[in-house]
Amino acid sequence: MKQEALLTWKGKMEFETELYGHKITIDASPEGGGENKGTRPKILLFTALSGCSGMDVISILKKMQIEPKEFHVRVEGEMAEEHPKYYENMKIIYEFKGENLPEEKLKKAIDLSLDKYCGVAALFKKAIPINYEIRIL
Amino acid sequence: MKQEALLTWKGKMEFETELYGHKITIDASPEGGGENKGTRPKILLFTALSGCSGMDVISILKKMQIEPKEFHVRVEGEMAEEHPKYYENMKIIYEFKGENLPEEKLKKAIDLSLDKYCGVAALFKKAIPINYEIRIL
């Protein structure tokens, strides 16, 4: 299946896109010639990864009849010092809060996401090391 | 340099993050158990790529004293049919409108972005083929 997205320049360093009916603005910092009207683009890689895997995990857990009270997905990445400044690795931290959260089931849901379902993780794993940690708060 | 982003589950398939002070909502379609309160996560990869390279290109062109009247960056990607459904390739289409747009200078700006500056392109190129096209409208 082919997908497409269009990003439109709005002047200076500001760009805008519309994804599934939702506008997202991209901009640089004032130091980078922009006005911070939106996020920097590169960190959207973290949101793509945490969103994709977070959705997998919450729906797999639901099938296991596990519903956390709170669920957060953090992504950390180390950026190269020299151009091109890409992320050389990423770590995903899955944070759960609630009752009835057996760690082996949380791990199973995460492994299913990262090894089988999450297309963003599959792409990134071809390029850089991705690892994860579970935190039960 | 280490970077980090936090995504928080809001219930059902809805998640929210804040990047550089700007909130972004991620949600699934109603068919996927969500309510389309925000974008799907995977297509953010296109915005990361087009935003990163678009910013490079517009600032390199500015140094060359070239300012288009309009500038759009499209990304197309072919998604795998089977899980994990990742993008198997991406094509970036740089669309320019205006006067004084010498194609060899547009090409030079794009090549500098894709080969030297754009960290998102550098990451993706380790995993999948990335190619591009210039359109002068």
Side-chain angles (χ1 to χ4, degrees), chain A residues 1 3 7 73 77 79 87, chain B residues 1 3 7 73 77 79 87:
Chain A
M1 192 183 73
Q3 284 199 308
L7 188 79
V73 189
M79 206 192 289
Y87 297 116
Chain B
M1 190 183 73
Q3 284 200 309
L7 188 78
V73 188
M79 207 191 289
Y87 297 115

Side-chain angles (χ1 to χ4, degrees), chain A residues 1 3-5 7-9 19 22 27 36 39 55 71-77 79 84 86-87 116 119, chain B residues 1 3-5 7-9 19 22 27 36 39 55 71-77 79 84 86-87 116 119:
Chain A
M1 192 183 73
Q3 284 199 308
E4 186 183 320
L7 188 79
T8 296
W9 181 51
L19 305 174
H22 304 278
D27 200 358
N36 190 29
T39 179
M55 281 185 177
F71 176 41
H72 305 271
V73 189
R74 275 176 208 279
V75 179
E76 297 175 353
M79 206 192 289
Y86 66 93
Y87 297 116
K116 186 167 179 193
Chain B
M1 190 183 73
Q3 284 200 309
E4 185 183 321
L7 188 78
T8 296
W9 181 51
L19 304 174
H22 303 279
D27 200 359
N36 189 31
T39 178
M55 280 185 179
F71 175 40
H72 305 272
V73 188
R74 275 178 208 279
V75 179
E76 296 175 353
M79 207 191 289
Y86 66 92
Y87 297 115
K116 185 164 178 194

Side-chain angles (χ1 to χ4, degrees), chain A residues 8-16 26-30 32-37, chain B residues 51 54-62 66-69 71:
Chain A
T8 296
W9 181 51
K10 307 293 279 181
K12 290 193 177 179
M13 296 293 270
E14 186 189 351
F15 290 81
E16 191 179 86
I26 303 290
D27 200 358
S29 64
E35 296 176 323
N36 190 29
K37 289 186 183 172
Chain B
M55 280 185 179
D56 287 345
V57 168
I58 208 73
S59 48
I60 296 167
L61 289 178
K62 198 179 175 191
I66 292 172
E67 177 157 309
K69 205 171 156 215
F71 175 40

Side-chain angles (χ1 to χ4, degrees), chain B residues 23-40:
Chain B
K23 283 193 180 156
I24 293 178
T25 299
I26 304 291
D27 200 359
S29 65
E31 303 77 49
E35 297 177 321
N36 189 31
K37 290 187 184 171
T39 178
R40 295 329 147 257

Side-chain angles (χ1 to χ4, degrees), chain B residues 35-130:
Chain B
E35 297 177 321
N36 189 31
K37 290 187 184 171
T39 178
R40 295 329 147 257
K42 206 177 329 188
I43 205 160
L44 288 174
L45 297 178
F46 290 179
T47 309
L49 180 61
S50 56
C52 166
S53 183
M55 280 185 179
D56 287 345
V57 168
I58 208 73
S59 48
I60 296 167
L61 289 178
K62 198 179 175 191
K63 284 176 196 154
M64 293 172 171
Q65 295 180 315
I66 292 172
E67 177 157 309
K69 205 171 156 215
E70 288 183 27
F71 175 40
H72 305 272
V73 188
R74 275 178 208 279
V75 179
E76 296 175 353
E78 199 74 41
M79 207 191 289
E81 300 289 333
E82 303 294 328
H83 287 298
K85 294 184 180 168
Y86 66 92
Y87 297 115
E88 292 174 312
N89 58 62
M90 289 187 204
K91 181 176 179 179
I92 314 173
I93 300 156
Y94 298 89
E95 293 180 353
F96 300 91
K97 196 170 177 178
E99 288 168 24
N100 176 31
L101 297 170
E103 194 162 345
E104 74 281 6
K105 291 201 174 172
L106 303 180
K107 188 171 182 309
K108 189 175 177 191
I110 293 166
D111 288 338
L112 273 171
S113 169
L114 296 183
D115 296 339
K116 185 164 178 194
Y117 292 111
C118 176
V120 177
L123 180 68
F124 290 0
K125 285 199 302 189
K126 286 176 179 278
I128 55 169
I130 305 280

